[in-house]
Amino acid sequence: MAKRWRYRFLALALVCALAGFGWAASYTLRPNDDGSRARLEDFYAQARGGLDVVFVGSSAAYAFFSPLRIYGQTGLTSALYATPNQTVAMLPYILRECRRTQPDALYVVELRPMLASAEDNARIAVDLRRLTDNMPYSLNRARCIEALAPAGDRLSWHADLVKYHDRWKDVRPGDLRLSWGRRDENGGFTFDTGVESIEYRDWRTVNALIPPEAENEAALRSLLELLRDEPMDVLFVATPFALSREQAKKYNAVAALLRVYGYDFLDLNRRVEEIGLDFDVDYADFRHVNILGAAKCSDYIGPILLARRQPAAGADRAGWDAALADYLPREAGAIQAAKEALEHD
Amino acid sequence: MSLISLRAAAVALGLCLLLRRLPAKAGPTALLAGSLLFLAGTPVALALHAGHTALTLLLAIPLRRRQGRGRALLWAAVLLECALIPLLRRWGGFSCAALVHIGYLLDARRGGADAPLAARAAALTYFPSLREGPIVDASALAGQLLAPEPLTWERGSRALLRVVTGLAKKLIVADRLAGFVEAAFAAPGACCAGVLWLALLAYGMQIYMDFSGCMDVALGLSALLGVDLPENFSRPYFAAGCAEYWRRWHITLGGWFRAHCFYPLAASRPALALGGRLAKRCGGVRLRRACAMALPLLATWALVGLWHGFAPHYLAWGLVNGLAILAGTALESGKPTLPRGLRVARTFFIISLIRVLFRAGSLKDAGAFYAGLLGFGGAGGWLLLPAAADIAVAALFAALFMALEWRAERHGEGHPSVPAALALCALGIAAVCILGRYGPGYDPVAFYYNRF
């Protein structure tokens, strides 16, 4: 009898050891090729309740807003929970995920995904992996996968070791992880020093509406219903880019829908002059600003956020100050590189 | 529908839990249901195999009634089973099952196969051995299914270790080498001799790790269900001659053909007469012995070759193996002149060369491969080699498994204690999880013997 219990205990211990090994191996072997992992790990590295603001969105969020620059300007601590090609349907899961550790933060949700067509949504569904592969294991993550991942092969979505185990050849000592979360030197902000002149059309006088794609509208409505049931402080924004007349009308419809639910919509496409954006200088491509434009957008939104939210007293100021001091020379170098690129152009 | 699949794992686990709670007489029915559930992953295979089993059970009824008589009916039944082999092979590689069914019919004619119907049906569809073997004696298996061994910690930990070992052999070593072997055998004319020799060596390791790994999984799963299947390998790469090699490789196939083809042929009057005439013309005891067994042996090996595929290169492979065994018998002396290590190496070399006929797509391809080995091929092919890290992992694990076999060869098979077996299982699972070739991005490589 005693022997049987000893074996049971040993088996249980080995199962736990295996689970722990799988857990750590999974975190270690997750890909780190596009900044998504660094960005989301930076969010999870923040102290519980230590953030004043969380930026949520796709590349339109992490290319436009620099958390460390905003901290330097306003004292607001912020992080980016942003991955490429997010869809609106992912937002409820993202907000639930963020709320687990930052329940009192102001959430700035970038709504460019509302412009995506059904085909775009289907095409970029694969980018859901950039989100779920960079979330720690949780029930919310499992629900997100069950709701949004393509049918078939769900196992490799839930247990990402199944997909990424062969990355052992590329692992460096710095990749080793026992838990999920590590500060990023740029606070998750991804800057581009390229310069491209883009053709910007001013649609401020267009007030007509075109409903967004039905599935996007339905997803936004369900998000707003969720926020009604589980209130959070959310500011919806749209970052400026060379949008078409049709897209401007879709944004008008989004603004109208948000008003119905009592939310503001800060459409920065209507404030390009106040921001000071120069479309010959501040863009890296027709959808994203470069470091020069990002500095202007961050400087513009900082005071708006400060008007809604005062910096929390308990934040780790010393850590943020050190990170800012480390970041500023890099930012200055990037700005200089962008200016040189502009001169050579 | 593979033994390495979530379905197989779920069926085995479900049966493992269920059999502990069911009365013994309900065991075969549960195993039959489990096997059908396993097959249900491929409906065509399920229908085919269920139909095949029903047909065999029906054919066995008159054979058993006529005990020892009914030769014509037996021949008709055997020919029908043989005719089914191409169909079975096409829809899931169940030609092993055809041999099991033929063996069952022969046993029925001898008056055996008298277990309850559920046990016989469960034995004929027993999923761990259904596809790749081992080729079981269905009547004996039915007896085991009626009284399975209880699942103790000793049995369970060793069975699990066996499954994990099989997974490691297959997913870490065999599948790592499969791409290189496939590419080299597909274009032997483009590869230089060095690459082809490496491919030959890699193929020897790939097929052994694949097939013995498959058997480890099958025997391990079966042991978890309380049923001990016959061993199919006994460290064949440590054999010191071709005949010994074939007594150690795919043991159950060799045993089946020996029992049902070689011995009846060797004991037949025409074979005895012809063998006797040949033997009289030859001098020396060894040569006479080789002559006496030449015809039945070559005929049996021709059938072994054709069982693998109805193609000239399989026939040639079978006949060359038969000739190699005959040559070994004729040339062997009472006391070997070479040390055992050298004889083992020589056997591996000969078997590897013969195996080209087995792996090549045709006699022409095999000819091109042999020409390439002699330096009459291309000058390239080095790019086909796997990445250095993959070669290192495959070589490391292949060396580890061969070292364990060498130890067993010298000191006999040992059984690890329960804690050691459990700890090794955990290590093995961790190794397979990280180093195994599985998941999206990989084309799952079917067990090599699935095709037969």
Side-chain angles (χ1 to χ4, degrees):
Chain A
M1 193 67 174
K3 194 186 260 187
R4 211 168 83 184
W5 277 103
R6 212 164 58 225
Y7 291 160
R8 281 182 183 173
F9 178 75
L10 177 65
L12 185 66
L14 286 171
V15 168
C16 292
L18 259 182
F21 169 79
W23 189 284
S26 162
Y27 285 170
T28 298
L29 294 171
R30 284 177 171 184
N32 194 10
D33 50 3
D34 70 343
S36 297
R37 170 169 162 172
R39 200 172 301 117
L40 265 58
E41 274 209 88
D42 182 72
F43 171 84
Y44 288 107
Q46 306 294 339
R48 193 176 189 86
L51 290 175
D52 300 312
V53 179
V54 178
F55 293 96
V56 173
S58 55
S59 56
Y62 63 72
F64 280 75
F65 304 123
S66 165
L68 285 163
R69 188 178 177 93
I70 290 170
Y71 173 74
Q73 183 198 24
T74 63
L76 288 167
T77 55
S78 63
L80 286 150
Y81 204 99
T83 54
N85 292 330
Q86 279 187 7
T87 61
V88 190
M90 298 179 198
L91 289 173
Y93 301 97
I94 292 172
L95 291 181
R96 279 205 183 102
E97 183 71 18
C98 294
R99 196 174 50 191
R100 285 168 53 208
T101 51
Q102 306 296 339
D104 302 321
L106 164 64
Y107 287 90
V108 178
V109 178
E110 210 286 333
L111 280 184
R112 197 180 290 179
M114 284 300 293
L115 303 180
S117 65
E119 292 76 30
D120 290 337
N121 284 338
R123 183 170 47 78
I124 65 180
V126 69
D127 285 309
L128 174 65
R129 280 212 88 114
R130 297 177 197 264
L131 173 67
T132 57
D133 285 348
N134 293 305
M135 288 168 130
Y137 291 112
S138 70
L139 199 58
N140 180 54
R141 177 181 183 273
R143 284 183 181 139
C144 178
I145 290 168
E146 283 303 312
L148 302 178
D153 187 32
R154 288 270 164 82
L155 178 67
S156 80
W157 285 75
H158 287 293
D160 43 56
L161 190 62
V162 172
K163 183 171 171 69
Y164 299 121
H165 62 94
D166 205 35
R167 284 197 68 252
W168 61 269
K169 293 173 221 166
D170 307 321
V171 168
R172 290 164 304 218
D175 293 333
L176 294 174
R177 295 283 192 284
L178 293 176
S179 63
W180 195 243
R182 179 170 293 195
R183 291 291 288 265
D184 177 53
E185 59 181 8
N186 295 325
F189 170 56
T190 302
F191 51 76
D192 195 326
T193 56
V195 179
E196 186 178 318
S197 177
I198 65 166
E199 192 179 337
Y200 179 75
R201 304 281 298 273
D202 185 354
W203 305 114
R204 274 178 295 180
T205 54
V206 174
N207 292 315
L209 311 180
I210 292 180
E213 194 68 40
E215 66 181 75
N216 291 339
E217 185 178 336
L220 183 59
R221 279 183 191 278
S222 68
L223 172 68
L224 294 168
E225 298 291 342
L226 170 79
L227 292 174
R228 182 180 281 171
D229 297 339
E230 303 169 27
M232 295 168 73
D233 190 4
V234 178
L235 170 65
F236 291 99
V237 303
T239 49
F241 75 108
L243 77 173
S244 65
R245 177 188 285 268
E246 185 183 327
Q247 288 170 324
K249 289 177 182 174
K250 282 185 179 176
Y251 271 152
N252 291 341
V254 170
L257 179 63
L258 291 173
R259 268 198 300 279
V260 171
Y261 284 84
Y263 282 96
D264 295 330
F265 182 45
L266 180 63
D267 184 356
L268 297 179
N269 289 288
R270 292 174 171 270
R271 304 191 183 197
V272 289
E273 286 172 2
E274 296 163 51
I275 298 169
L277 284 173
D278 180 341
F279 292 94
D280 291 325
V281 173
D282 293 333
Y283 275 75
D285 58 59
F286 83 105
R287 294 174 70 85
H288 305 106
V289 285
N290 57 25
I291 183 72
L292 302 171
K296 290 176 183 174
C297 289
S298 299
D299 290 349
Y300 181 78
I301 204 165
I304 295 173
L305 300 177
L306 197 57
R308 287 179 69 124
R309 179 63 59 108
Q310 287 303 302
D316 169 25
R317 298 281 154 196
W320 275 87
D321 288 341
L324 177 64
D326 182 50
Y327 164 77
L328 285 175
R330 264 196 312 281
E331 187 196 70
I335 287 173
Q336 185 59 35
K339 284 179 178 169
E340 285 172 8
L342 188 62
E343 281 170 15
H344 288 128
D345 210 12
Chain B
M1 190 191 40
S2 163
L3 280 184
I4 300 185
S5 64
L6 287 178
R7 177 178 285 271
V11 168
L13 186 66
L15 283 172
C16 204
L17 296 172
L18 193 65
L19 289 174
R20 300 183 73 178
R21 283 157 182 79
L22 284 177
K25 63 180 180 184
T29 310
L31 285 166
L32 176 62
S35 295
L36 294 178
L37 197 62
F38 170 73
L39 283 167
T42 312
V44 178
L46 172 66
L48 185 67
H49 203 74
H52 184 205
T53 302
L55 176 70
T56 303
L57 289 170
L58 282 172
L59 287 171
I61 295 170
L63 284 173
R64 209 165 67 227
R65 279 194 194 135
R66 296 179 190 187
Q67 285 196 16
R69 293 174 290 120
R71 181 184 288 258
L73 179 63
L74 177 70
W75 272 105
V78 168
L79 286 175
L80 182 61
E81 292 281 355
C82 291
L84 281 173
I85 288 179
L87 197 65
L88 292 165
R89 184 173 291 145
R90 179 170 178 186
W91 293 107
F94 291 109
S95 42
C96 274
L99 297 186
V100 173
H101 286 224
I102 292 172
Y104 172 78
L105 292 173
L106 292 168
D107 193 39
R109 183 168 174 265
R110 286 193 295 266
D114 52 356
L117 180 65
R120 283 181 281 139
L124 289 173
T125 55
Y126 189 55
F127 80 93
S129 60
L130 186 60
R131 226 171 154 188
E132 294 91 2
I135 295 160
V136 293
D137 174 349
S139 301
L141 180 60
Q144 274 204 74
L145 298 184
L146 283 167
E149 295 289 329
L151 185 63
T152 59
W153 276 97
E154 283 75 13
R155 169 176 276 272
S157 59
R158 284 170 198 160
L160 200 58
L161 181 58
R162 185 112 199 224
V163 172
V164 173
T165 305
L167 290 176
K169 283 180 177 177
K170 164 78 175 150
L171 297 176
I172 298 180
V173 184
D175 289 359
R176 233 183 199 85
L177 299 173
F180 167 55
V181 171
E182 177 79 34
F185 272 87
C191 298
C192 67
V195 170
L196 293 181
W197 281 108
L198 280 176
L200 195 59
L201 180 68
Y203 178 52
M205 204 41 72
Q206 183 219 345
I207 191 170
Y208 179 52
M209 290 294 155
D210 185 289
F211 197 13
S212 72
C214 175
M215 289 303 105
D216 286 335
V217 173
L219 269 70
L221 285 179
S222 185
L224 282 172
L225 303 176
V227 177
D228 293 321
L229 292 174
E231 292 289 343
N232 218 13
F233 289 93
S234 176
R235 303 179 289 282
Y237 286 159
F238 292 93
C242 289
E244 185 187 345
Y245 171 85
W246 281 111
R247 283 194 298 272
R248 289 166 168 246
W249 178 283
H250 209 337
I251 297 167
T252 56
L253 181 77
W256 194 95
F257 274 98
R258 210 166 25 248
H260 300 303
C261 295
F262 177 72
Y263 290 146
L265 279 173
S268 66
R269 277 185 202 154
L272 284 172
L274 197 59
R277 275 207 294 277
L278 278 172
K280 274 181 195 166
R281 292 183 188 178
C282 301
V285 177
R286 279 175 276 141
L287 200 55
R288 257 184 255 142
R289 197 168 62 206
C291 285
M293 62 187 270
L295 286 173
L297 187 80
L298 289 175
T300 303
W301 271 101
L303 287 174
V304 171
L306 290 174
W307 175 81
H308 284 90
F310 203 74
H313 65 104
Y314 284 123
L315 179 64
W317 169 78
L319 289 172
V320 174
N321 267 305
L323 287 171
I325 292 170
L326 281 175
T329 310
L331 299 175
E332 79 180 9
S333 59
K335 192 177 178 187
T337 49
L338 286 173
R340 185 169 174 86
L342 282 180
R343 283 183 289 131
V344 166
R346 183 182 64 188
T347 305
F348 180 76
F349 180 72
I350 293 169
I351 289 292
S352 297
L353 283 178
I354 296 173
R355 203 180 266 142
V356 172
L357 288 164
F358 186 76
R359 179 62 180 80
S362 64
L363 280 177
K364 190 181 164 195
D365 288 350
F369 199 97
Y370 285 126
L373 287 174
L374 294 171
F376 298 112
W382 291 104
L383 291 175
L384 299 177
L385 283 170
D390 286 319
I391 294 175
V393 167
L396 183 73
F397 276 82
L400 173 71
F401 289 124
M402 296 314 288
L404 289 172
E405 292 205 354
W406 181 73
R407 188 174 174 276
E409 187 74 11
R410 288 192 62 145
H411 305 293
E413 293 276 4
H415 290 299
S417 63
V418 173
L422 290 175
L424 287 170
C425 277
L427 275 176
I429 291 170
V432 169
C433 280
I434 301 297
L435 301 173
R437 309 282 276 187
Y438 66 97
Y442 292 108
D443 288 332
V445 183
F447 280 121
Y448 198 83
Y449 265 68
N450 270 357
R451 65 189 74 180
F452 302 125

